[in-house]
Amino acid sequence: NAGVMQNPRHLVRRRGQEARLRCSPMKGHSHVYWYRQLPEEGLKFMVYLQKENIIDESGMPKERFSAEFPKEGPSILRIQQVVRGDSAAYFCASSPFGATEAFFGQGTRLTVV
Amino acid sequence: ILNVEQSPQSLHVQEGDSTNFTCSFPSSNFYALHWYRWETAKSPEALFVMTLNGDEKKKGRISATLNTKEGYSYLYIKGSQPEDSATYLCAFVEDDKIIFGKGTRLHILP
């Protein structure tokens, strides 16, 4: 059973470009969480999704950031018009049910130049 | 935004010594508390999922306790080994949302 897969592992974008981060949850998991890790900070909650639904996006900036988890395919975290402050590691986790043990991907390190 | 606090932020422990650290969380509306270990260059892995007041969980030399009434959990490591060096995260579950503390970074000194 493959683990949570995130790609790309590293992503470099120029200011103003779009970044698309993908997360394929573990097989059978319908709950996905996205977190951002800034230097010297822990994992900051961004958004919690179930298949085709955003359950809680209270941790996500109101502008430029969006997330989806379609019926088919991976969950996508999309950042439009990236700025230097968006540079961080973005982690995705999945679980079979809400609030049970979360399984993490390896993260995507976004660098905005 | 609820607060999950962990202390200390960083800890140096001699190999062979035992240690513990704390996670505090809101005591109202408790659902579950998770502990994760995060080794450098890897992703966080779950150690324990705790749901009941008074829960005690154990995995090898690592154990955890939970007090939901006063809003804290302790993680204990007995006889620290170099492989225990990692960041230990606790996470509070609210409305199915998993909120992490900043972690305790543990360094085991040979």
Side-chain angles (χ1 to χ4, degrees):
Chain A
N1 190 5
V4 178
M5 304 298 292
Q6 287 189 251
N7 65 81
R9 293 289 305 276
H10 300 275
L11 182 61
V12 179
R13 284 286 177 266
R14 294 186 189 281
R15 278 178 294 172
Q17 289 185 318
E18 178 180 287
R20 289 170 72 87
L21 287 63
R22 284 177 290 279
C23 169
S24 296
M26 284 181 72
K27 190 175 179 182
H29 287 194
S30 57
H31 298 250
V32 165
Y33 306 83
W34 284 95
Y35 296 88
R36 177 162 63 176
Q37 184 201 18
L38 293 166
E40 303 305 317
E41 296 280 325
L43 292 170
K44 294 206 73 172
F45 170 80
M46 298 182 75
V47 62
Y48 164 43
L49 310 105
Q50 293 178 27
K51 282 281 186 185
E52 301 184 90
N53 285 308
I54 296 174
I55 305 302
D56 189 317
E57 56 183 346
S58 58
M60 205 147 67
K62 295 280 185 281
E63 296 178 356
R64 302 188 298 107
F65 285 72
S66 62
E68 62 176 14
F69 187 16
K71 189 176 178 182
E72 303 289 340
S75 175
I76 306 282
L77 179 68
R78 184 178 175 212
I79 311 171
Q80 295 179 289
Q81 299 172 333
V82 295
V83 300
R84 287 240 169 95
D86 297 332
S87 295
Y90 292 83
F91 286 88
C92 157
S94 73
S95 66
F97 308 103
T100 53
E101 173 187 346
F103 293 80
F104 279 83
Q106 298 278 26
T108 293
R109 186 162 298 277
L110 172 67
T111 303
V112 179
V113 298
Chain B
I1 300 281
L2 62 89
N3 262 345
V4 181
E5 302 286 345
Q6 289 191 249
S7 64
Q9 281 188 8
S10 181
L11 190 54
H12 291 77
V13 173
Q14 205 67 43
E15 183 178 347
D17 287 353
S18 297
T19 187
N20 65 83
F21 25 92
T22 309
C23 172
S24 60
F25 50 86
S27 54
S28 59
N29 202 28
F30 178 84
Y31 183 81
L33 188 92
H34 300 179
W35 280 99
Y36 293 79
R37 176 164 62 197
W38 194 358
E39 296 178 69
T40 304
K42 294 188 177 180
S43 27
E45 290 186 358
L47 286 170
F48 304 115
V49 174
M50 309 180 81
T51 55
L52 296 174
N53 184 41
D55 248 356
E56 288 191 32
K57 300 256 178 163
K58 192 171 173 7
K59 188 182 284 190
R61 294 178 292 100
I62 303 177
S63 59
T65 60
L66 178 67
N67 183 325
T68 62
K69 292 192 189 315
E70 295 181 39
Y72 64 83
S73 175
Y74 291 131
L75 190 82
Y76 299 90
I77 302 179
K78 191 176 174 183
S80 305
Q81 298 297 309
E83 60 264 29
D84 297 329
S85 292
T87 297
Y88 291 83
L89 300 170
C90 80
F92 181 77
V93 179
E94 179 190 63
D95 297 329
D96 285 356
K97 195 166 66 180
I98 304 175
I99 305 296
F100 284 86
K102 290 188 179 180
T104 291
R105 189 169 295 183
L106 177 65
H107 306 267
I108 305 302
L109 306 170

